[in-house]
Amino acid sequence: MKKPDMKDYLQEGIYGSRQTKPGERKQYLGTLRERVLVALTKGQVMRQQGEEAVVDLMRSYPDAELLLNGDVSYRFLSPYMDLADEHNIHHSIVSNMETHSEFGAVLTLDYAIEKEDITIKEQEGVGESSEQEGWTGFFKSLFKSSK
């Protein structure tokens, strides 16, 4: 391996130290995909979906770390922070104004586990109807017959 020269020091000073897979690190709040136990989208964090799965994984992996997206309001992150404190899991809020991730919470490890499915399926809301039924109901309410 060659010795670093002045150009290498300048490049590191301007752009920061070199990282492996920077795009993947931005997407998963600073960690690599191969280290992720579960990743919740911002919407899932706001609706507190997948909380049970996160708790189960926290119990199974006491050395895990919870990364929370700083773009999500603190009131939505607070329950996850409380869960992490309850299970003695280190947590941190990742705020990077240059990048935007679709994930609101990522439970990760310091080593690779290569888990195949790291996302939780979106749950349908109770009482939600399809768009067509919504429009039909809207028009029916407009044209009620008055007897």
Side-chain angles (χ1 to χ4, degrees), residues 32-37 108-115:
L32 297 171
R33 160 69 174 86
E34 63 194 22
R35 298 177 180 180
V36 175
L37 289 167
T108 184
L109 296 168
D110 287 341
Y111 50 89
I113 56 165
E114 292 292 339
K115 189 174 176 187

Side-chain angles (χ1 to χ4, degrees), residues 44 49 117 119-124:
Q44 288 174 326
Q49 292 180 349
D117 189 22
T119 59
I120 295 176
K121 304 292 182 222
E122 292 282 337
Q123 296 174 355
E124 293 292 326

Side-chain angles (χ1 to χ4, degrees), residues 51-117:
E51 204 170 286
E52 301 85 24
V54 171
V55 170
D56 291 341
L57 288 168
M58 284 181 178
R59 287 186 189 129
S60 300
Y61 297 94
D63 58 338
E65 180 181 6
L66 182 64
L67 303 173
L68 301 165
N69 194 332
D71 292 342
V72 179
S73 176
Y74 181 80
R75 70 184 179 119
F76 298 118
L77 298 179
S78 181
Y80 291 94
M81 293 165 62
D82 293 339
L83 285 174
D85 288 338
E86 184 179 314
H87 292 92
N88 295 323
I89 300 291
H90 180 264
H91 63 276
S92 59
I93 297 176
V94 179
S95 296
N96 188 351
M97 300 306 227
E98 296 174 6
T99 62
H100 298 284
S101 174
E102 65 183 286
F103 296 112
V106 175
L107 190 64
T108 184
L109 296 168
D110 287 341
Y111 50 89
I113 56 165
E114 292 292 339
K115 189 174 176 187
E116 189 172 322
D117 189 22

